[in-house]
Amino acid sequence: MNIHEYQAKSLLREFGVPVPNGVPVLKAEDAETAVKQLRGPVWVVKSQIHAGGRGKGKFKEPEAGDKGGVRLARSADEARQFVREMLGKTLVTVQTGEAGKQVNRVYIEDGSLIDREFYLSMLVDRTTAQVAFVVSTEGGMDIEEVAHSHPEKIVTFSVDPATGIMPLHGRRVAKALGLSGDLAKQAGDLTEKLYRAFVGKDMAMLEINPLIVTQDGKLRCLDAKVSFDDNALFRHQDVAALRDETEEDAKEVEASKYDLNYITLDGTIGCMVNGAGLAMATMDIIKLYGESPANFLDVGGGATKEKVTAAFKIITADPNVKGILVNIFGGIMRCDVIAAGVVTAVRDVGLTVPLVVRLEGTNVEQGKEILAESGLNVVSADDLDDAAQKIVKAVRQQEAA
Ligand code: GDP
Ligand code: MN
């Protein structure tokens, strides 16, 4: 799960991490009070969307101006003006894709005077099974670009969970950033606090870009991007409450209500499969025959009819879906449950695209019978290969017609 920058900063502040003071604004009318709560004399007005690259982003609407999604305001009037220009507009950045993201929240912050910009991130390194730090003097820019052109400027190390965070880790960060004296001390302090926040809140990723040295010699986090391990959300109600569903894919939000493993993709063939491995294989074979999957969906082992019905409805509601392939190998999952779910869903919402079903395993005969007796226009298939060929053919025929 991802959260907004202002939420991440407020969370980091709880752990004592130095971040500028700021106030989130959801309605243009509230800009006035927000500006008054801050000291100025310079304010930063920041579009809050779950994507980076906002500073260099562009708004679709001309009335939003061409100053990007992060703007420095030199007066309270200008700050209010920027809030009005951004709210409700669509910001396109390198990370949002062409469609962009609507800005529903803006963050106003006390502006900082920047001396130097650094990069710092933390993530769970699956190879070492440890929390890793990634640090670079090249902050404020695209880290992928730095990794490509100046890999030697990126320093990485991980923290052994058996010892936890220690002063040596802070010294490594300070050294990587070329800091000494009081700034090295601040780096040590920051490293420890970030680690405690990361582990304490079960984060999956934390990125501070830029981490700055202010002109009066203070280390400060100017941006913060945080994502959490979904499997640990149950023990962080405070974090779960920060979820902003308007930032997420509506189909994925719906799927998560039913505990379905669903991911939207950009192809045309909707897939309903049980088991992640079989789902992957199904996506591969669709590709092999020249089309692309519209989604990844693993309905899981012991899915109920309600769950299957919900899954099928999510697929049929997707306007990109030109055909559906149901591929079930019934082990724990019973084929008759799948068939009943499909039939219920189609009765509720109808079916306007071709449907190919391949069932195998537990209760396969009952499953086929349910489909046959339903009167639905279902093409049945014998194996994976046959199923993929049939759905690709059906989609192409429909398009030609
Ligand atoms: P991003 O573009 O989505 O990564 O958003 P950031 O929060 O990183 O802001 C973009 C850029 O705006 C930063 O890299 C800074 O150069 C600049 N910026 C942000 N806050 C301030 C500030 O308080 N003072 C100054 N001078 N620049 C800022
Ligand atoms: Mn940034």
Side-chain angles (χ1 to χ4, degrees):
M1 188 189 95
N2 297 318
I3 59 174
H4 289 290
E5 174 201 4
Y6 79 92
Q7 297 169 323
K9 282 178 168 169
S10 139
L11 206 146
L12 291 174
R13 199 178 284 122
E14 285 174 32
F15 285 86
V17 174
V19 292
N21 285 325
V23 183
V25 176
L26 282 75
K27 300 193 296 282
E29 307 91 270
D30 297 340
E32 182 74 42
T33 26
V35 170
K36 277 191 192 142
Q37 284 173 59
L38 298 166
R39 288 171 48 193
V42 174
W43 294 264
V44 192
V45 182
K46 311 185 80 173
S47 301
Q48 300 295 294
I49 52 171
H50 285 187
R54 296 163 301 164
K56 293 200 178 77
K58 285 191 170 43
F59 282 96
K60 282 199 164 169
E61 300 83 355
E63 63 270 27
D66 58 359
K67 298 193 187 78
V70 176
R71 302 179 186 179
L72 228 50
R74 313 231 165 243
S75 70
D77 266 344
E78 201 179 18
R80 285 191 291 268
Q81 172 70 19
F82 288 159
V83 172
R84 274 197 299 274
E85 286 175 358
M86 289 179 190
L87 272 179
K89 308 299 189 329
T90 305
L91 183 60
V92 181
T93 80
V94 287
Q95 290 186 10
T96 60
E98 271 173 44
K101 279 189 168 247
Q102 194 178 44
V103 177
N104 299 317
R105 306 176 192 201
V106 170
Y107 190 45
I108 309 183
E109 206 175 60
D110 268 327
S112 304
L113 298 174
I114 304 175
D115 178 33
R116 275 170 286 168
E117 291 187 309
F118 302 134
Y119 176 94
L120 185 151
S121 68
M122 297 169 70
L123 50 102
V124 180
D125 181 346
R126 286 168 192 273
T127 325
T128 57
Q130 296 179 345
V131 173
F133 277 82
V134 179
V135 192
S136 175
T137 49
E138 307 304 294
M141 52 174 117
D142 191 359
I143 196 68
E144 282 82 9
E145 177 55 36
V146 180
H148 185 72
S149 53
H150 291 288
E152 77 286 354
K153 290 191 173 169
I154 297 180
V155 174
T156 311
F157 64 88
S158 51
V159 179
D160 190 329
T163 59
I165 197 83
M166 294 193 293
L168 74 95
H169 299 117
R171 288 198 290 273
R172 280 199 184 172
V173 170
K175 182 157 182 270
L177 299 178
L179 301 174
S180 57
D182 182 57
L183 276 168
K185 201 166 151 269
Q186 289 183 47
D189 191 48
L190 176 74
T191 305
E192 186 184 324
K193 285 170 174 166
L194 288 176
Y195 185 83
R196 295 205 191 290
F198 192 95
V199 174
K201 295 292 178 185
D202 287 307
M203 294 178 188
M205 198 270 309
L206 178 154
E207 187 180 57
I208 310 291
N209 188 22
L211 166 68
I212 62 156
V213 176
T214 61
Q215 287 176 7
D216 56 356
K218 297 274 186 295
L219 213 49
R220 197 182 279 175
C221 302
L222 225 54
D223 191 9
K225 200 178 225 183
V226 171
S227 70
F228 298 90
D229 180 349
D230 288 348
N231 293 317
L233 272 182
F234 73 95
R235 54 185 188 191
H236 302 289
Q237 290 309 315
D238 56 333
V239 171
L242 300 177
R243 187 163 183 181
D244 179 0
E245 291 188 348
T246 65
E247 288 287 330
E248 298 174 27
D249 183 292
K251 298 187 288 294
E252 290 180 13
V253 171
E254 181 66 13
S256 71
K257 289 182 192 153
Y258 293 91
D259 217 9
L260 294 160
N261 294 309
Y262 174 95
I263 296 162
T264 300
L265 301 169
D266 53 13
T268 54
I269 299 186
C271 306
M272 185 159 86
V273 190
N274 68 322
L278 188 58
M280 301 274 221
T282 305
M283 287 162 36
D284 279 350
I285 204 160
I286 288 171
K287 280 265 190 195
L288 181 68
Y289 287 109
E291 290 290 329
S292 296
N295 67 280
F296 168 93
L297 170 62
D298 167 14
V299 291
T304 59
K305 190 180 121 190
E306 287 67 36
K307 210 164 148 174
V308 173
T309 308
F312 202 80
K313 283 183 181 172
I314 290 167
I315 295 174
T316 49
D318 182 349
N320 296 324
V321 168
K322 306 289 179 237
I324 301 173
L325 173 54
V326 175
N327 183 23
I328 299 294
F329 186 84
I332 302 167
M333 186 77 233
R334 285 158 34 209
C335 293
D336 56 317
V337 172
I338 290 286
V342 169
V343 171
T344 308
V346 173
R347 292 232 166 94
D348 284 0
V349 295
L351 184 68
T352 54
V353 297
L355 168 65
V356 172
V357 178
R358 178 256 177 167
L359 295 175
E360 197 56 78
T362 310
N363 293 358
V364 61
E365 290 314 322
Q366 287 101 303
K368 285 185 173 167
E369 223 172 274
I370 291 170
L371 289 174
E373 284 169 5
S374 70
L376 294 183
N377 187 12
V378 180
V379 179
S380 74
D382 299 323
D383 58 35
L384 195 41
D385 202 62
D386 183 40
Q389 288 188 55
K390 278 179 172 158
I391 190 62
V392 169
K393 193 170 153 213
V395 166
R396 294 201 169 151
Q397 269 173 357
Q398 185 182 249
E399 263 168 18

